[in-house]
Amino acid sequence: GGKRVTHERNFKRLPFYCCSLTFQTVEHPYCTKEGHIFDLTAIVPFIRKYGINPITGKKMDSKDLFKLTFHKDAAGKIHCPVMYKTFTESSAIVAIKKTGNVYSLEAVEELNLKTKSLLDLITSEPFTKDDIITIQDPQRLDKFDMSNFYHIKEKMRLVDEEDEEAQKSSTYTLKSAPAEAVATLTELNETYTAPSSAAPVEETNDEGMPTYFHNTTTGDVSRGLTSTVAPRATKTQLVQKTSDEILYEETKKKSYVRLVTSLGEINLELYSDSVPKVCHNFLLLCKRGYYNNTIFHPQCFR
């Protein structure tokens, strides 16, 4: 006997709890009789525009959808409300079309099919065998192969003008941002000013004196009054800043750069307090327009 040859195909798998159209975790899950799950906010506009199933490409109406109800445990993980087993990629999962409740296949087989009592395990609503919809079958995972989705092959997109404009915003992808990131972006938006071609105006303090002096005196007057060796001084003078202090004074503060691209904006935070000279040179080149109309692309590592 020869060695048994097995054929395996690796593909990018879509989790059962994600929308088959947006590939994001569903917030308002709806399902078809084939067990394809969509988010209501995504599938309804798609059907209105194309009138087909995004997965199979066949005609579909919004009436073909029914609402799903996922049950979660205390940790927020989806599980079977009867067997209390957390669903994984290897779990057999079904849904009852009439009620939308999602169970493990084991619970339906043991408590409904074997007992011939076709009543929903939570609501006790009667149903038929045709109402049992397979959400996930560990032995048949081709339905989760995103490369076979019709809307992927045909490059069908559904982006309205408002959403397309919103995607250009620097905060569009921050669904749940940390408080520090929100504060940083807020500060950036408040302090950001568009580049101007006007000549810079020299800043002065309250007395009209240029800002290359510190707010402390040299102490020559007091030293000349109390010391017997120090020269006498009758005029108070401010401590002059060094060239490095003048050059990197503004750079040592928090610095931000907004990178404006053809696909939206990218906000960059500079570590000016750690490397003021490097950040100063970068900011200087930005002000001179050195990076204007620069073509670049992301580098992906696999």
Side-chain angles (χ1 to χ4, degrees):
K3 182 180 179 181
R4 184 177 179 181
V5 179
T6 59
H7 299 280
E8 296 182 358
R9 186 165 71 100
N10 296 324
F11 59 87
K12 193 173 182 180
R13 175 179 174 177
L14 180 71
F16 72 90
Y17 52 81
C18 289
C19 173
S20 299
L21 188 58
T22 63
F23 307 141
Q24 303 294 324
T25 302
V26 289
E27 296 181 1
H28 309 284
Y30 276 74
C31 187
T32 64
K33 62 181 180 180
E34 296 85 5
H36 300 139
I37 299 178
F38 303 98
D39 196 292
L40 182 64
T41 58
I43 187 59
V44 171
F46 188 92
I47 293 177
R48 288 177 181 173
K49 184 175 182 179
Y50 298 106
I52 61 174
N53 187 317
I55 309 302
T56 62
K58 298 180 180 179
K59 289 185 177 181
M60 188 176 75
D61 189 82
S62 58
K63 296 180 181 179
D64 299 329
L65 299 168
F66 65 93
K67 184 178 180 180
L68 285 182
T69 301
F70 285 115
H71 301 271
K72 297 182 179 181
D73 56 18
K77 296 182 179 180
I78 302 175
H79 72 150
C80 175
V82 176
M83 307 296 290
Y84 297 103
K85 292 182 178 180
T86 302
F87 292 147
T88 64
E89 293 183 351
S90 59
S91 301
I93 308 171
V94 297
I96 307 302
K97 183 178 180 180
K98 282 193 174 182
T99 62
N101 290 321
V102 180
Y103 304 100
S104 63
L105 178 61
E106 180 184 2
V108 174
E109 286 181 342
E110 294 294 330
L111 302 178
N112 290 126
L113 299 180
K114 286 187 178 182
T115 61
K116 297 182 179 181
S117 175
L118 299 183
L119 299 177
D120 188 274
L121 300 176
I122 293 180
T123 64
S124 298
E125 184 175 345
F127 63 89
T128 64
K129 289 184 178 181
D130 294 334
D131 292 328
I132 302 176
I133 307 298
T134 301
I135 301 298
Q136 177 176 270
D137 184 354
Q139 304 301 323
R140 300 180 61 183
L141 297 177
D142 290 343
K143 64 179 288 186
F144 297 109
D145 186 356
M146 294 187 290
S147 62
N148 291 332
F149 290 179
Y150 183 81
H151 71 96
I152 295 295
K153 292 181 179 180
E154 300 298 325
K155 298 181 179 180
M156 304 173 71
R157 296 182 58 201
L158 185 64
V159 181
D160 55 21
E161 295 181 358
E162 293 183 359
D163 190 33
E164 191 171 8
E165 187 66 24
Q167 289 184 12
K168 297 180 181 180
S169 172
S170 57
T171 59
Y172 179 79
T173 57
L174 295 179
K175 298 265 182 174
S176 57
E180 184 178 355
V182 174
T184 300
L185 286 173
T186 302
E187 181 181 353
L188 173 61
N189 292 327
E190 291 177 354
T191 58
Y192 174 75
T193 55
S196 175
S197 58
V201 179
E202 186 180 32
E203 296 183 0
T204 58
N205 57 18
D206 296 337
E207 299 177 355
M209 185 175 293
T211 55
Y212 49 78
F213 286 100
H214 288 289
N215 292 327
T216 57
T217 63
T218 59
D220 292 341
V221 175
S222 59
R223 192 162 40 247
L225 180 64
T226 58
S227 176
T228 58
V229 294
R232 182 180 299 179
T234 58
K235 185 178 179 180
T236 301
Q237 293 183 349
L238 296 178
V239 178
Q240 189 173 3
K241 297 179 180 179
T242 64
S243 58
D244 285 346
E245 288 177 333
I246 297 174
L247 187 60
Y248 305 124
E249 181 180 19
E250 294 298 327
T251 312
K252 286 185 178 180
K253 300 178 181 179
K254 280 189 175 181
S255 302
Y256 305 96
V257 173
R258 175 164 290 173
L259 181 62
V260 181
T261 72
S262 57
L263 297 179
E265 299 173 349
I266 302 175
N267 296 321
L268 307 177
E269 181 178 2
L270 307 182
Y271 292 91
S272 304
D273 53 342
S274 301
V275 283
K277 292 185 179 181
V278 176
C279 295
H280 172 77
N281 292 336
F282 178 69
L283 291 172
L284 192 61
L285 290 174
C286 291
K287 290 181 179 180
R288 292 178 179 175
Y290 179 80
Y291 301 106
N292 290 351
N293 301 319
T294 300
I295 300 175
F296 68 96
H297 64 88
Q299 185 175 5
C300 302
F301 297 94
R302 293 184 178 179

